[in-house]
Amino acid sequence: MILVVGGAGYIGSHLVKELIKKEDIVVLDNLSTGHREAVDSRAVFVKGDLGNEEDLQMVFRSYPIKAVMHFAANSLVGESVVDPLKYYQNNVAATLTLLKMMMKFKVKNFIFSSTAATYGIPSVEVIDESTATQPINPYGHSKLMVEQILADFSKAYGLNYVVLRYFNAAGAHSSAVIGESHDPETHLIPIVLQQLLGEREKVSVFGSDYDTPDGTCIRDYIHVTDLATAHILALEALLLGKKSAEIYNLGNGLGFSVKEVIETCEKVTGVKANVEIADRRPGDPARLVATSEKIYTQLGWKADRNLEQIIADAWKWHQNKKY
Ligand code: UDP
């Protein structure tokens, strides 16, 4: 069985929906930000906390876990700046407890959700895995600290791991049964779609004076189902013993500006957005675009879904949100 920690969250729930076709799954989630309804009914669900040794012991004693996939984290850059304790506690300390219990129960395979925020403000146009990691906020630091812990555990205790550094996860399952639902919502695509549905008065573009062609920030948006596929390939490589300590970027290699995303939302939905230009949001790099050449070469993964498909799936979800 595979233990999916944070399997009720946005990305975790999409992974579960794909992986359940191949593997038995236990989801551990404290539902602090996740949704019970998002967990595929074929998976075992345990409400519990990855920072709680008793919860973990119960899971590792009850189920024959052969690998752990860890999606449970706080992931808002701004919040991490004002409340770093929360980020180091939940993202680093709790992960350390999870790893400790994995070592105790001799579970040696681990897939970790990391982030483009580990790169900080990159000095290159397109980021590869050798680009220097220089986080500029506690969120990015917390993820990079875990990456370091994994490297050290690998050497000392024989932990096998794959780190996946996501760029901008977006979209929803094509069935529209699950999708993105954060409270409060801070991400660009859901905010635009909510505005188009009349759930918000306007979309604020955070800064139009960046050093980019149209002055707005450029990001690399990747469909959440493509992310799920990458996790499954990484898991298979770990279980076959083909990989033991790897880091991969997950992006589609294409950058889109905030203005281009809004225009694409208008095109896909046929609805015009009410947009205002606002101040910059602190901590936003002008451009974050990945190359995923490494995971393509080594595991054969690439993003299959483009920005229009991402937005089309998100739109189906937002028109009929289940949670
Ligand atoms: N953004 C924006 N208005 C919003 C939300 C986001 O202009 O209401 C911008 C944000 O400043 C960034 C890009 O959209 O440049 C993507 O932001 P998001 O929060 O979706 O993802 P992040 O890149 O921060 O992980």
Side-chain angles (χ1 to χ4, degrees):
M1 274 184 120
I2 309 297
L3 173 59
V4 180
V5 183
Y10 171 44
I11 299 170
S13 62
H14 286 76
L15 172 276
V16 169
K17 210 159 211 35
E18 299 304 317
L19 185 62
I20 198 75
K21 297 170 191 167
K22 302 186 171 195
E23 298 275 0
D24 292 330
I25 296 176
V26 186
V27 168
L28 178 76
D29 199 300
N30 66 8
L31 299 180
S32 60
T33 56
H35 304 271
R36 179 66 185 87
E37 314 91 291
V39 181
D40 191 287
S41 58
R42 290 165 287 180
V44 175
F45 179 78
V46 176
K47 183 164 189 257
D49 204 301
L50 77 142
N52 182 320
E53 291 193 12
E54 275 137 45
D55 289 352
L56 293 169
Q57 294 213 34
M58 192 282 280
V59 171
F60 285 118
R61 286 214 176 98
S62 307
Y63 305 100
I65 305 296
K66 59 182 178 180
V68 176
M69 305 176 92
H70 178 22
F71 296 87
N74 296 112
S75 59
L76 299 178
V77 165
E79 184 186 53
S80 80
V81 176
V82 294
D83 193 1
L85 174 62
K86 177 174 177 180
Y87 279 71
Y88 293 121
Q89 184 68 51
N90 292 346
N91 293 3
V92 183
T95 300
L96 199 54
T97 304
L98 172 64
L99 290 167
K100 175 179 157 189
M101 298 313 281
M102 283 178 63
M103 296 306 98
K104 182 171 169 188
F105 285 90
K106 303 200 166 28
V107 179
K108 294 280 172 86
N109 297 309
F110 191 66
I111 301 211
F112 181 61
S113 303
S114 191
T115 169
T118 54
Y119 294 109
I121 299 177
S123 53
V124 291
E125 281 269 300
V126 178
I127 299 167
D128 69 23
E129 294 79 355
S130 68
T131 302
T133 45
Q134 295 164 326
I136 55 164
N137 49 62
Y139 170 58
H141 279 295
S142 74
K143 289 288 182 176
L144 193 58
M145 283 176 190
V146 173
E147 292 191 13
Q148 182 63 55
I149 291 168
L150 296 177
D152 294 339
F153 272 45
S154 174
K155 287 191 202 111
Y157 312 130
L159 176 73
N160 304 309
Y161 70 89
V162 172
V163 165
L164 298 172
R165 290 182 180 152
Y166 313 156
F167 282 64
N168 286 62
H173 196 265
S174 58
S175 66
V177 169
I178 55 174
E180 186 168 13
S181 180
H182 297 114
D183 186 19
E185 187 53 76
T186 61
H187 295 107
L188 179 63
I189 290 175
I191 282 180
V192 175
L193 297 181
Q194 286 170 355
Q195 201 284 313
L196 299 183
L197 284 168
E199 295 167 11
R200 297 175 180 264
E201 198 194 322
K202 58 190 180 215
V203 177
S204 302
V205 173
F206 297 144
S208 60
D209 57 352
Y210 283 95
D211 184 16
T212 59
D214 69 16
T216 65
C217 288
I218 294 175
R219 293 289 180 273
D220 182 336
Y221 295 88
I222 173 154
H223 197 293
V224 64
T225 301
D226 283 333
L227 287 184
T229 309
H231 285 77
I232 293 170
L233 290 172
L235 177 69
E236 286 167 356
L238 272 187
L239 294 177
L240 290 172
K242 288 189 187 161
K243 292 288 163 202
S244 59
E246 286 292 349
I247 297 178
Y248 298 111
N249 284 345
L250 297 181
N252 62 30
L254 293 174
F256 292 95
S257 73
V258 173
K259 279 191 181 156
E260 286 171 331
V261 169
I262 295 170
E263 281 161 16
T264 311
C265 288
E266 291 178 329
K267 186 173 148 207
V268 167
T269 64
V271 188
K272 192 106 191 80
N274 181 25
V275 178
E276 66 160 16
I277 304 297
D279 289 345
R280 288 183 177 201
R281 188 173 69 175
D284 268 341
R287 181 184 159 90
L288 283 175
V289 179
T291 169
S292 300
E293 198 57 38
K294 183 178 172 193
I295 190 167
Y296 178 65
T297 309
Q298 296 193 6
L299 302 183
W301 178 88
K302 65 176 175 47
D304 282 335
R305 296 161 181 85
N306 64 19
L307 184 64
E308 293 193 7
Q309 287 168 291
I310 290 172
I311 291 169
D313 284 342
W315 181 236
K316 267 198 282 176
W317 161 251
H318 279 279
Q319 285 173 298
N320 189 18
K321 258 176 93 170
K322 311 271 190 306
Y323 49 84

